[in-house]
Amino acid sequence: MTSPPGSGHSEPRPLLLVSPPPRLVAEATEAGFHVLTVTDTARFPDDDALGAHLAETARTHRVSMLIACGEASVLPGVLETAERLGLSPNPAAAARLLADPSLIRGLLTRSGPQWAAVALPTGPRDGPLPYDVEYGVETLTAEGMHRVTGIVELRFTESGETSAGPSPEPGQPPGGAGTAREDAPLHAFPAPLTRQEEAEIRALATGLLDLAGYEFGYAFTRIAHTADGPRIINSRTQQAPWPTSQLIELTTGLVPERELVRALSGKPMEAPVLVGCAAAVPLRGPHDAPEDITALAGVREVRDGHVLLTALTPAELADRTSAVLDRLT
């Protein structure tokens, strides 16, 4: 499928997007790219067929760049084809490495004692994981420069009673580092961190991307808060998942797809400016939200098993979060 070039651009640049969200297509078109899309990679029988289609499309339309989004960003057929044709702004090896927690741990171990010490052990374990707080760090990289767009706190219940948690990420076994927790976390943005804690978490996330050779695109790195300090869980070459991404957008005004297109266009990225704070409170089930929950102060929407709310200050957010939790019990 081909989208028409944005108006006012005499020579639109051909750009091939794989599994893009509609807003990215719209932003790229508006910026003057001649956008071609492959929206459904599942319709191809194997990686070879997908790669052949991408290669033919690229040659036919003289594509100058190929960008894969979401789960497509780690598909071998996409990575290898883009690299072979010289269309990827990012090394395929970096995306493959970051998609596998065991490879991340190996990289950290090889990179010296200081990095080996911040890797969370992988593999199955008996009993609960040794932390109940994670930090989700979203970054956008352009020409090897990593900019942190937001750090979200993900706080899990001690009992694990919340049942609306996310499923394990593709390619990761249940139980062990690198997997999603069984209980759904309460998200808070910005994460309540001291300057020193924030600097350390930023350094871990961006340092990992440097070690992996990541050159372009979004990444979402999960870091555990443990008694021994922050520990890297995993990283994915994708934008932060919902609701994390929505909290960042609500409180900074940054539209992630627009920022990615700015990076593709070689324009400087906008600096995030906080205008408040936000939280996502998980529901116990898909239909457990009271009908009048949206009448509570600060509630923006109820969607996908979460109640999203905003506030101007952390204290106000804490009060509003407590009110939502009280209403849900």
Side-chain angles (χ1 to χ4, degrees):
M1 181 181 80
T2 305
S3 303
S7 58
H9 299 282
S10 58
E11 295 182 3
R13 296 151 289 177
L15 174 66
L16 178 56
L17 301 176
V18 184
S19 300
R23 194 161 59 166
L24 178 57
V25 176
E27 292 287 348
T29 301
E30 178 64 23
F33 288 97
H34 181 189
V35 181
L36 301 107
T37 63
V38 174
T39 57
D40 182 15
T41 59
R43 67 185 177 89
F44 297 94
D46 51 39
D47 284 332
D48 291 340
L50 173 59
H53 176 76
L54 294 175
E56 180 182 0
T57 301
R59 286 192 293 265
T60 300
H61 297 276
R62 297 182 179 179
V63 167
S64 59
M65 194 175 300
L66 184 155
I67 300 295
C69 308
E71 295 302 325
S73 66
V74 294
L75 291 177
V78 177
L79 293 174
E80 294 167 4
T81 300
E83 188 168 65
R84 185 177 72 252
L85 298 177
L87 300 178
S88 174
N90 200 54
R96 285 194 292 265
L97 187 151
L98 293 171
D100 189 332
S102 64
L103 293 180
I104 289 177
R105 178 164 177 76
L107 172 66
L108 296 175
T109 301
R110 295 190 305 272
S111 299
Q114 72 277 21
W115 284 105
V118 297
L120 194 69
T122 58
R125 63 172 68 241
D126 295 328
L129 291 173
Y131 61 90
D132 58 12
V133 173
E134 291 180 12
Y135 299 109
V137 185
E138 184 187 69
T139 51
L140 178 56
T141 300
E143 297 182 347
M145 300 295 292
H146 317 297
R147 189 197 66 180
V148 175
T149 59
I151 303 175
V152 176
E153 180 191 74
L154 298 89
R155 183 173 294 275
F156 296 85
T157 59
E158 293 182 1
S159 62
E161 292 178 353
T162 305
S163 59
S167 302
E169 296 177 4
Q172 298 173 351
T179 63
R181 295 284 296 264
E182 292 182 357
D183 47 330
L186 190 154
H187 298 63
F189 178 76
L193 296 165
T194 65
R195 288 186 178 181
Q196 181 177 346
E197 290 171 335
E198 180 178 348
E200 189 171 3
I201 288 171
R202 284 173 172 265
L204 287 182
T206 58
L208 172 62
L209 299 180
D210 278 337
L211 292 175
Y214 196 61
E215 293 290 328
F216 183 89
Y218 277 105
F220 184 68
T221 304
R222 293 166 53 209
I223 295 175
H225 175 80
T226 77
D228 298 321
R231 297 290 183 265
I232 294 172
I233 303 172
N234 70 359
S235 188
R236 304 284 287 179
T237 56
Q238 303 170 13
Q239 179 190 343
W242 197 95
T244 298
S245 58
Q246 186 66 11
L247 298 186
I248 295 174
E249 184 172 341
L250 280 172
T251 52
T252 65
L254 290 182
V255 178
E257 294 83 3
R258 183 174 303 157
E259 290 305 297
L260 181 62
V261 170
R262 287 178 63 88
L264 285 170
S265 302
K267 298 179 181 179
M269 295 177 283
E270 295 287 345
V273 178
L274 285 174
V275 293
C277 44
V281 181
L283 303 174
R284 294 181 181 274
H287 306 294
D288 286 350
E291 292 183 0
D292 60 346
I293 193 74
T294 55
L296 293 177
V299 173
R300 302 291 293 266
E301 65 176 321
V302 179
R303 172 184 159 195
D304 297 340
H306 289 83
V307 179
L308 268 64
L309 61 153
T310 57
L312 292 177
T313 67
E316 185 179 50
L317 183 67
D319 290 341
R320 291 181 173 184
T321 300
S322 295
V324 170
L325 289 171
D326 290 343
R327 188 68 182 85
L328 294 177
T329 56

